[in-house]
Structures are given as structure tokens and as C-alpha cells.
Amino acid sequence: MNAEILAVGTEILLGDILNTNAQYLSKELAQLGIGVYYQTVVGDNPERLENAIFDAFSRADLVITTGGLGPTADDLTKETGAKYFGKELVLDEKAFNEIKEYFKKTNRTMTENNVKQAYVPEGAKVLYNKNGTAPGIIVEENGKILVMLPGPPKETVPMFEEYVKPFLSSKQDYTLVSRVLRVASIGESKMETLVKDLIENGENPTVAPYAKDNEAILRITAKGKTEEDAIKLIEPVANEIYSRLGNAIYGEGDEELHFVVAKMLIERNLTIATSESCTGGLLAGTLIDYPGISKVFMDGVVSYSNEAKMKRLGVSEESLKKYGAVSYQVAEEMAMGIAKTSGTNVGISTTGIAGPDGGTEEKPVGLVYVGLCINGKVKSKELRLVGNRERIRRKAVYSALNWLRKELLEID
Amino acid sequence: MNAEILAVGTEILLGDILNTNAQYLSKELAQLGIGVYYQTVVGDNPERLENAIFDAFSRADLVITTGGLGPTADDLTKETGAKYFGKELVLDEKAFNEIKEYFKKTNRTMTENNVKQAYVPEGAKVLYNKNGTAPGIIVEENGKILVMLPGPPKETVPMFEEYVKPFLSSKQDYTLVSRVLRVASIGESKMETLVKDLIENGENPTVAPYAKDNEAILRITAKGKTEEDAIKLIEPVANEIYSRLGNAIYGEGDEELHFVVAKMLIERNLTIATSESCTGGLLAGTLIDYPGISKVFMDGVVSYSNEAKMKRLGVSEESLKKYGAVSYQVAEEMAMGIAKTSGTNVGISTTGIAGPDGGTEEKPVGLVYVGLCINGKVKSKELRLVGNRERIRRKAVYSALNWLRKELLEID
């Protein structure tokens, strides 16, 4: 089976949007052993959209479209897909009700436009959308498969995962299994050097590195007759990588660093409070992403001004005058101060210069101190970060969490 | 003139690389008033590459390719391009010398493969590469233009800027100007209903709607002999949209909501502090994205537990017992409490149920209260949001900021 990926949307052709769906879908299809020979983007123009779909089916068995499922007059993907298969569009009751519910729940009025979204090609498999109003669609006939997904990646990705991936997997006669190792602490190129031979020589399993914001992942993929066979092939390779990378590996699968840290705190029954300056609430916000964090996260302060640092955390005026807000001394006082005033086991702090202004020769943009107080014992760490304001703040949050993780590994 | 963008490279079809060149080139061509009707990606396969180039020229006057100019046997773009025009490949002496120089400078040996890179279609305009070895090429004949650029963006972008942009500009006899209006408060489909006729009937200017996370934008684009002419055409249409959408429009161009709100606070000399529960630091974190926010942002509290609400903000135990943490009463006490304890003009609060757990029939997931205290006067707002935990938290932040914006509009 070979595939073509067709993104629909004039905004992509205008360069307003980066077509990340194409990369995501291509990667997923590669994992499923399905070759992608073309990726195409066409605008919200009925004639060109029709040509694109017909052309795609002239050279591929599987066509996956993204976009054009919205409520406006420009959204024509379903109509054109139905036309290819010679089908009518019919109302899907469940989709209609879900759309109504969605508007009711958000106290908004459903317009006539939105009703359009509940129409699907007759006989199609409907993929209900948990993250938006437009349902997706699979039509399969005469050896041709058309999958139509919404455009926004936050809808495309979950829908593909939930419906399309299992559907396509069932059509393959072998199984591909992947295991993802998540690596903090080392840059992508250093990690690659440590496992270079495994990446270059791996045939079955293969080992593929991917860079992400602030971290890297290693994806081990094996092909087997059954899932168990594939899992058995992966195990020795995963063990080898663990032995080389040690606790630079913080977790597996989809579980991101902050979730791992949240769980570690809960397992160890350690309450935590945060005191942030330059990261401005992002550290608390990141931890609070974890559902159930209320078991351990008690309190946080965004002590952006010196007054707030003194008043809420008890940081001494003397330290601020003598060392400046961006210093390891103040970071430590902030960490101790928040733990004390909140009554938590752990206090963590950040203070730094996120930029673009505020840097000096002595204290440049990107200089950030992290303070950590665990059960009364306090330490600090100096970070030298590069990038713009947003990048420095996010990198500081990540580094603070990773440092906390490594400290918690020492505690049972 | 209309265009097609064709990226060549199997690594894109495998999902290993994100095709950012397509977005960059599309944006540049839109600015030049050249319509892009298709974007295509094809692999390093001679037959499919040839089909792709011939297909592209069957529907476009200008075809821009990226990739496939490397030294390996897989790199076939030039050969195929030359074939389309029925031209031979000839050695370009200058390109050959530059490649030799490049290898000399980097202490590397030039291989036979690299000599291949110095061959160009006979009569082509050669675009010498300051950032890599492969020169680009422009071939123009019989109303068809082929531009071939290297794949790596750090080579593609400068080469386009230096050679291709001036070349294409000289062929246009009009200018396109766009003006973007940013719309909060209304869903994409409701906004469309209000300006439906302008979207459907607009010819010059055109009005195009785009959905974004939590907001929508309207792009007005006019074509004129000069930039001034185009701007004059846009003005009445923009005014008409403002008269219909009022202060649902929060800004123009690239400036996002939180930047607009930050500026409004600074202009009005109003200091602000935040007290967050379910949004957990994201509201503070979002405002702090604005460089220079330290002029007005003083302090923030992430009062996740009831104890923190009482201790840091002075929320009364009685209110928490009687109404619960998620109530308009507590939201108002939080807003007043943070303004008072921080000594700021404005206090803003959030308290709600982000999910996935914690909801009841009476207080479901997605219920969020926002409190606002401006110079001692306090009010609150109830939100009913849908989505997963992350989406609810981000939507709450957006809604809180938008409400603050509208209140600030009433203050000079």
C-alpha cells in the first residue's frame, strides 16, 4: 500500500501556516510500513481540490487529507471526497448531536454553517472529534481508501491516533512496535555520539533519534510477525541504551518530564511550592498540568519585583542590595522562603535574566539561578542559557524540573 | 503569474524533516503578488520527479524547486529541469571554482560527486551559493520560469533573498498589501456570519478569515499599482469591519492579545498582580512574556490549595466552606486579596475545574470563575469551557486577558 498526503487550505499556500501535519502523518505512515510518495497542498478552490484528489488516487491507494472540514463556504473537502466515490452526503445524527452539545456547553449559538459539518459521505466510517466540531471520515472502496481529517493539529493528531492508526495497522501483515526512550540532560548530538553505532547499524530494530525542545528522544522500532515478537526484539537494544545513557533517560513513551516529576513527588509524599521570578509562573503552570497535582502542589509565588521577594518570601533586603536579585544567594533564599512560608517539604525557585533587555557583561541575558530546598537543606545551580526570551524561560523551567528529578532519585 | 512550489527529498516523505521552505517561499510569493496554487513534495525518484516537474508546468508559469541539488546519485533536480526545457547540462566555470575554493577553505577534499554540482542547464542564470556548495538556477523560456534552489533552509533563504526576489519583483506590475485584524470574543463561525458578505463578495480587496487557538483573524488583501493605492483600497473595508465587530477586534498585524493588554496597562500606569488557582501560573506567565512587563507586573500567587488562598490572599474560611473554592464569591475575594496584599491597582484571579477529574453535576469540568479588581472595585465572570485540561486552562487565561482588555478600554 502506498499513500499520498493532501493538505487543503489556502492559508498554507499563503505561507501563513506551517504544514506540520504532513510531517506527522508521514512519520506515522513510515512506522506502519506504508510508503508516502507524494505530499501535496492545494487551496480552498473546488476545481483544484477535485483535481488534486483525483490525481492522488491515480497514483496512491491511500489518500489522507487534512483541512477543509470547517463550517465555512470555503470548506469543501468532504464534498469533493464524496464526489470521487460517487456518494451523496448524508446527515450523521451522532455528529450533529455532538456539535449541538459542544455549542450548548460553551454557551454559544450553533449557526447553520456548523450543521454542514455533520454531513458525511454515505456509508463512511465517522471519526468523532473530541477536540473540535468537525468529525473525520474514512471511506474504503475498490482498493482505495480516503481518510479525511481536520486541519488543526490538535484535532488531527488525536484523531489519527485513536481511529486511523488502528484501522491501518489492521491492514498490514506484520506488526511494527515502537518503544520511545526520553532523554534529558544531554544535547542531541552528544546523545547521538553515545549511541551512534546503534543508530547507524540498526536494521531490526532500528533506532532513530529525534530532537525536541530542550530534550531528545530515541525511538526503537521492531518489525515482527506478532506484537510479542517485536517487543522481544526491542528489549536487548533498550537495555543497551539504558546502560549507556543511565539516568539521562527520564522516562518512556509519551510521558513528559513534568509528569514524571509530579509522580515522583506524589510517590514520595513530598509537598512542593514554587517561587519564580524570570520564569514568571511557567514552572508552577507546568507542574500543574499534571492532573492530581493538588496532592502535592500547595502554593506558588511569582515574585517578579524585589518587594514581592522580600514580602512574600522573606528574602533579605541586604542580599538583594549586595548580590542582586539574580544571584545564587537570592535563589537560595527564595527556595527556603517559599518552603517555609508555604509549609512544604520542597521549595524551588528561579531568578534570572530572560531578555532581551536587562543583561550586562557580568550578568548577561540567559543567566538563571535555580534554588532548591528539600526538607530544610538548600542548594543552587547556575544556568547559562541561549535564545530569545521565551526560549530562555522555557529552558529554565525544564532545567529546574530535571534537576529536581535527579535530586529526588536520591530520595526513596 | 501563478506558481507551484516543489520540494524534492525522500527525507521529507519519511517525516524526518519539516518542510519549512514551502511556508517561507509561499509567504514571499504572496507578498510579491504571485499566487501559489499547489505545493508538492516528491522523493528522490527519477520518474516521479519528472512527472512532478512536468505536471507543475502544466498548471503553473513559475515553478520553484528546493532540494535535490546535492552531490549524490540521488540528486536529480537539475537533470530533470534541464530535460523539461530540452537543454544540455554544461559546466559553469565560476561555480566549479567556487566549489573548489569552498573545499580548500574547509580543509576537505572535493570528490568527483561535487563536480556534478557545477553543471547547469545551458543558458541558465546561475545563483552562486554563499552558504553551501550547490549553486541555484533560473531558466526562463516561452513564458515558463524554473527556479531551482538548494534544500537546506540556511542556503535556500539567503539565495532567494539575494537573487530570486529581485528577479521576480522586476516581473510584477502591481503590489499586494495585506492588513490583518485580530478578533477575540467571537467564535470563527459567528465572526464569519457578521462579515459574510465581505468575505464572499470581496474582489479587491479580498477578506479572508482564519481560525487560531482561541481567536480568529481577518486578512484584508488589496492589489494596487503602488503600495499607497493598495492601502487606500483597504481602508474603507477595514473601517466597515470595525463598525460591525467593534471591540471584538483587539489589535492588528502580528501583535497578540497578551502584548496588547500589557501595553494598555503600561499606558494607563496600572500595576497588576495575579492570583491563580486552576490556571496555575499560566496567566502570570503569559503576561510576563511581554518584555518590559516589569513596569506593571509586580507579583503573583498560585494559590492552589485552600490554605494558600486564605494565607496569601485573605480569602475567608467561611466563603470557602459556604461557596467552595470554585465560586464567584471566592474569585472576587482572590482578586481583591491579591490587589490589596501586593499593593497594585489591578488584581485578577482565576478559580475553576480544569479536569479531567474534580467535576460534579453542579460544578462540571470547565467551570471557571475570573475575578477582577480595579482600583478597589471588584467584579467576576463565569466561564463554561470545553476541552482537555490544557485547553481549559489556556482558554481561561485567554478569556481573563480579553475581559481585562475590555474593562481597560473603559479607562483612559
Side-chain angles (χ1 to χ4, degrees):
Chain A
M1 183 174 7
N2 69 299
E4 178 158 337
I5 293 170
L6 173 57
V8 181
T10 303
E11 65 272 22
I12 307 177
L13 295 180
L14 287 172
D16 289 339
I17 290 191
L18 187 53
N19 184 9
T20 60
N21 281 332
Q23 185 190 25
Y24 165 74
L25 291 170
S26 293
K27 214 166 207 167
E28 290 296 318
L29 291 175
Q31 302 257 336
L32 288 163
I34 297 170
V36 175
Y37 291 165
Y38 294 86
Q39 293 172 358
T40 309
V41 180
V42 73
D44 305 307
N45 172 284
E47 198 184 318
R48 288 193 282 274
L49 176 48
E50 188 170 322
N51 289 338
I53 287 187
F54 278 70
D55 281 350
F57 274 119
S58 75
R59 50 197 188 198
D61 313 306
L62 166 66
V63 175
I64 303 187
T65 68
T66 58
L69 299 184
T72 78
D74 282 344
D75 294 292
L76 298 161
T77 313
K78 269 183 312 187
E79 286 77 351
T80 318
K83 190 169 178 182
Y84 175 80
F85 287 95
K87 296 197 182 295
E88 295 295 317
L89 286 181
V90 298
L91 183 70
D92 184 270
E93 286 290 340
K94 184 173 174 191
F96 182 61
N97 290 330
E98 291 203 342
I99 295 173
K100 266 199 299 185
E101 264 311 297
Y102 182 91
F103 278 88
K104 206 162 137 202
K105 258 211 283 191
T106 54
N107 282 340
R108 281 153 64 199
T109 343
M110 181 169 167
T111 69
E112 241 184 86
N113 292 348
N114 293 102
V115 180
K116 180 171 115 94
Q117 294 185 291
Y119 278 78
V120 302
E122 199 166 6
K125 177 174 162 69
V126 183
L127 319 178
Y128 299 99
N129 190 346
K130 295 186 170 64
N131 302 284
T133 47
I137 287 153
I138 299 179
V139 183
E140 183 177 13
E141 206 161 276
N142 297 329
K144 299 291 184 185
I145 301 173
L146 173 62
V147 177
M148 294 191 274
L149 302 172
K154 66 170 166 31
E155 299 177 34
T156 326
V157 173
M159 194 180 281
F160 183 90
E161 281 291 322
E162 182 178 353
Y163 296 102
V164 186
K165 198 164 169 173
F167 174 81
L168 293 173
S169 294
S170 70
K171 303 202 165 292
Q172 304 295 91
D173 64 350
Y174 53 79
T175 308
L176 275 177
V177 174
S178 280
R179 188 166 154 191
V180 167
L181 306 184
R182 306 187 71 94
V183 187
S185 320
I186 316 182
E188 191 201 0
S189 41
K190 182 172 181 198
M191 173 190 79
E192 278 204 50
T193 313
L194 287 169
V195 295
K196 196 174 149 93
D197 54 317
L198 300 175
I199 295 172
E200 286 184 357
N201 305 331
E203 279 200 26
N204 190 21
T206 56
V207 178
Y210 297 98
K212 293 197 161 276
D213 273 346
N214 296 325
E215 61 183 21
I217 72 171
L218 284 169
R219 178 188 222 112
I220 313 166
T221 307
K223 198 190 246 192
K225 254 229 156 303
T226 66
E227 202 173 303
E228 288 81 44
D229 289 344
I231 290 174
K232 280 209 195 89
L233 286 171
I234 289 176
E235 192 140 350
V237 177
N239 293 342
E240 178 60 25
I241 297 175
Y242 267 103
S243 76
R244 296 189 198 185
L245 298 185
N247 74 8
I249 301 175
Y250 72 81
E252 298 205 13
D254 281 332
E255 199 165 59
E256 289 183 77
L257 180 67
H258 55 296
F259 269 43
V260 169
V261 172
K263 280 182 167 179
M264 289 172 84
L265 288 164
I266 293 173
E267 275 160 18
R268 290 159 178 69
N269 232 343
L270 292 170
T271 54
I272 184 170
T274 55
S275 50
E276 308 179 56
S277 196
C278 64
T279 50
L282 290 182
L283 178 54
T286 303
L287 275 168
I288 287 171
D289 235 359
Y290 183 76
I293 193 69
S294 56
K295 285 196 190 71
V296 291
F297 187 96
M298 296 296 125
D299 194 6
V301 164
V302 180
S303 51
Y304 210 62
S305 62
N306 282 358
E307 287 68 35
K309 289 178 180 72
M310 292 189 283
K311 181 167 167 181
R312 298 214 181 266
L313 306 171
V315 171
S316 74
E317 189 170 4
E318 196 193 336
S319 297
L320 285 164
K321 278 207 168 99
K322 197 170 171 192
Y323 308 115
V326 180
S327 60
Y328 79 84
Q329 293 92 339
V330 168
E332 289 184 7
E333 286 186 41
M334 287 171 69
M336 247 188 1
I338 191 68
K340 191 165 169 200
T341 57
S342 306
T344 52
N345 303 112
V346 179
I348 185 168
S349 72
T350 63
T351 174
I353 304 162
D357 305 314
T360 61
E361 265 229 45
E362 203 203 318
K363 296 192 184 186
V365 165
L367 173 65
V368 177
Y369 290 94
V370 181
L372 190 55
C373 180
I374 303 183
N375 288 328
K377 282 172 121 160
V378 69
K379 26 170 125 175
S380 57
K381 204 176 211 225
E382 179 182 297
L383 307 172
R384 300 258 168 184
L385 307 172
V386 286
N388 60 18
R389 185 178 174 84
E390 190 188 340
R391 208 159 165 215
I392 286 171
R393 291 171 71 213
R394 292 188 185 285
K395 180 82 185 168
V397 168
Y398 189 92
S399 303
L401 287 172
N402 192 41
W403 184 34
L404 174 57
R405 171 185 74 91
K406 295 207 274 188
E407 293 290 317
L408 291 177
L409 282 173
E410 310 288 315
I411 303 169
D412 288 315
Chain B
M1 179 171 15
N2 69 301
E4 178 158 337
I5 293 169
L6 173 57
V8 182
T10 302
E11 65 274 17
I12 307 177
L13 296 180
L14 287 173
D16 288 341
I17 290 190
L18 187 52
N19 184 10
T20 60
N21 281 333
Q23 185 190 24
Y24 165 73
L25 292 170
S26 293
K27 214 169 202 156
E28 291 296 317
L29 291 175
Q31 305 250 345
L32 289 164
I34 297 171
V36 175
Y37 291 165
Y38 293 88
Q39 291 172 359
T40 309
V41 180
V42 72
D44 305 306
N45 171 286
E47 199 185 316
R48 288 193 282 274
L49 176 49
E50 187 170 322
N51 288 339
I53 288 187
F54 278 70
D55 280 350
F57 273 118
S58 75
R59 50 198 187 198
D61 313 308
L62 167 65
V63 175
I64 303 186
T65 69
T66 58
L69 300 183
T72 77
D74 282 343
D75 294 293
L76 298 161
T77 313
K78 268 183 315 188
E79 286 77 353
T80 317
K83 188 171 179 179
Y84 175 79
F85 287 95
K87 294 195 181 298
E88 295 297 317
L89 286 180
V90 299
L91 183 69
D92 184 271
E93 286 291 340
K94 183 171 174 193
F96 182 62
N97 290 329
E98 290 205 343
I99 294 173
K100 267 199 298 184
E101 265 310 299
Y102 182 91
F103 277 89
K104 213 162 133 198
K105 260 212 283 190
T106 54
N107 282 337
R108 284 152 63 201
T109 342
M110 179 168 168
T111 69
E112 241 185 84
N113 289 350
N114 293 103
V115 179
K116 179 169 114 92
Q117 295 184 291
Y119 278 78
V120 301
E122 199 167 4
K125 177 174 162 71
V126 183
L127 319 178
Y128 300 98
N129 189 345
K130 296 186 168 66
N131 301 285
T133 48
I137 287 152
I138 299 179
V139 184
E140 186 177 9
E141 206 160 277
N142 297 331
K144 298 290 184 186
I145 302 173
L146 173 62
V147 176
M148 294 191 274
L149 302 173
K154 68 171 169 29
E155 299 177 35
T156 326
V157 174
M159 194 179 282
F160 183 90
E161 280 292 323
E162 182 176 352
Y163 295 102
V164 186
K165 197 163 168 175
F167 173 81
L168 292 173
S169 292
S170 69
K171 302 202 164 289
Q172 299 298 92
D173 62 351
Y174 58 77
T175 307
L176 273 178
V177 174
S178 278
R179 188 165 153 191
V180 166
L181 306 185
R182 305 187 72 95
V183 186
S185 320
I186 318 182
E188 191 198 2
S189 41
K190 183 170 179 200
M191 173 189 79
E192 276 209 46
T193 313
L194 287 170
V195 294
K196 197 173 148 95
D197 55 316
L198 300 175
I199 295 172
E200 286 184 358
N201 304 331
E203 279 199 26
N204 189 22
T206 56
V207 178
Y210 298 98
K212 292 197 163 278
D213 275 345
N214 296 324
E215 60 183 23
I217 74 171
L218 284 169
R219 179 191 221 105
I220 314 165
T221 307
K223 199 189 249 192
K225 250 215 158 320
T226 66
E227 204 173 302
E228 289 83 44
D229 288 345
I231 289 174
K232 278 208 197 93
L233 285 170
I234 290 175
E235 193 142 349
V237 176
N239 293 342
E240 178 59 25
I241 296 174
Y242 267 104
S243 76
R244 294 189 198 185
L245 297 183
N247 72 11
I249 300 175
Y250 73 81
E252 298 204 13
D254 281 333
E255 200 165 58
E256 292 184 73
L257 180 67
H258 56 295
F259 270 44
V260 169
V261 172
K263 282 181 164 178
M264 289 172 83
L265 289 163
I266 293 174
E267 276 160 18
R268 289 158 179 69
N269 233 345
L270 292 168
T271 54
I272 184 170
T274 55
S275 49
E276 309 179 54
S277 197
C278 64
T279 50
L282 291 182
L283 177 54
T286 303
L287 275 168
I288 287 173
D289 236 359
Y290 183 78
I293 194 67
S294 56
K295 286 196 188 71
V296 291
F297 186 96
M298 297 295 128
D299 195 6
V301 165
V302 180
S303 49
Y304 210 61
S305 62
N306 282 358
E307 289 64 38
K309 290 178 179 72
M310 290 187 284
K311 183 168 166 179
R312 297 214 182 265
L313 307 171
V315 171
S316 75
E317 190 171 3
E318 197 196 332
S319 297
L320 285 164
K321 273 203 170 103
K322 198 167 170 196
Y323 307 115
V326 180
S327 60
Y328 79 83
Q329 292 93 339
V330 169
E332 289 183 7
E333 286 185 40
M334 285 171 69
M336 250 195 348
I338 191 67
K340 189 165 169 202
T341 57
S342 306
T344 53
N345 303 112
V346 179
I348 185 168
S349 71
T350 63
T351 175
I353 303 160
D357 306 315
T360 60
E361 263 229 45
E362 202 203 320
K363 296 192 185 186
V365 166
L367 174 64
V368 177
Y369 289 94
V370 182
L372 190 55
C373 180
I374 302 184
N375 289 326
K377 282 172 119 160
V378 69
K379 27 168 120 176
S380 56
K381 203 175 210 218
E382 180 182 296
L383 307 172
R384 299 258 168 183
L385 307 173
V386 285
N388 59 21
R389 187 179 174 83
E390 190 188 340
R391 212 169 157 201
I392 286 171
R393 292 171 70 212
R394 291 189 185 286
K395 181 78 187 173
V397 168
Y398 189 92
S399 302
L401 286 173
N402 192 41
W403 185 34
L404 173 57
R405 173 184 73 90
K406 296 207 276 189
E407 293 290 315
L408 291 177
L409 283 173
E410 310 289 315
I411 304 168
D412 289 315

